[in-house]
Amino acid sequence: MQLRLKTTGFSLTPAWEETVREKILRPLSRRAGKNFPEDLPIDVELAKITRHHEEGKIWKCEVNLAWPHEKKTIYVEVIAESLEAAIDEAKDELELQVRENKGRWRAKFLRGAR
């Protein structure tokens, strides 16, 4: 899977890029298994929503994943008080949606095979 990372409102550091790879890409590739092709793009946007606020829920993590072999897109958007918390919550929600869709895909495949 290919990671396409975009930032809005702040500059991306190599540490944040590594954090996104470790917390979103690795667990997703483990959970997905062989169902996802290697060239499948995953779009991740990290953003600071406001310029004048310094605290509160101002960080956003948004993930788009096109489900292979179907016209379905998994979309996750999380707003949190810190960027790391937003990444963690997005990872949890993304894993949940992938697990649900993988189960549906497998059931649909088995139904067709019968």
Side-chain angles (χ1 to χ4, degrees):
M1 289 183 262
Q2 294 178 347
L3 179 67
R4 294 191 294 194
L5 191 59
K6 177 186 173 191
T7 59
T8 305
F10 72 102
S11 61
L12 180 68
T13 62
W16 282 118
E17 185 176 357
E18 183 60 33
T19 301
V20 170
R21 287 187 187 280
E22 180 180 314
K23 292 194 175 190
I24 291 180
L25 199 59
R26 281 196 191 129
L28 184 62
S29 63
R30 274 189 238 131
R31 170 143 331 267
K34 297 177 183 177
N35 293 338
F36 291 117
E38 289 293 323
D39 59 344
L40 182 72
I42 299 173
D43 298 321
V44 177
E45 180 180 0
L46 305 174
K48 185 175 181 182
I49 297 173
T50 65
R51 293 179 187 244
H52 59 280
H53 289 100
E54 294 297 322
E55 58 186 48
K57 292 187 174 185
I58 61 171
W59 295 99
K60 177 174 87 168
C61 180
E62 187 177 294
V63 181
N64 281 322
L65 172 66
W67 196 256
H69 313 296
E70 291 184 23
K71 294 180 181 178
K72 184 171 179 101
T73 301
I74 295 175
Y75 175 76
V76 174
E77 180 181 7
V78 175
I79 298 174
E81 292 186 5
S82 71
L83 187 56
E84 191 164 348
I87 292 170
D88 286 338
E89 290 178 34
K91 175 196 70 129
D92 295 339
E93 182 66 28
L94 186 66
E95 283 185 340
L96 177 71
Q97 288 189 18
V98 166
R99 186 173 352 133
E100 287 174 357
N101 284 316
K102 187 176 177 184
R104 287 184 193 133
W105 180 80
R106 176 172 251 162
K108 187 177 177 182
F109 175 75
L110 289 175
R111 236 179 290 131
R114 286 185 198 131

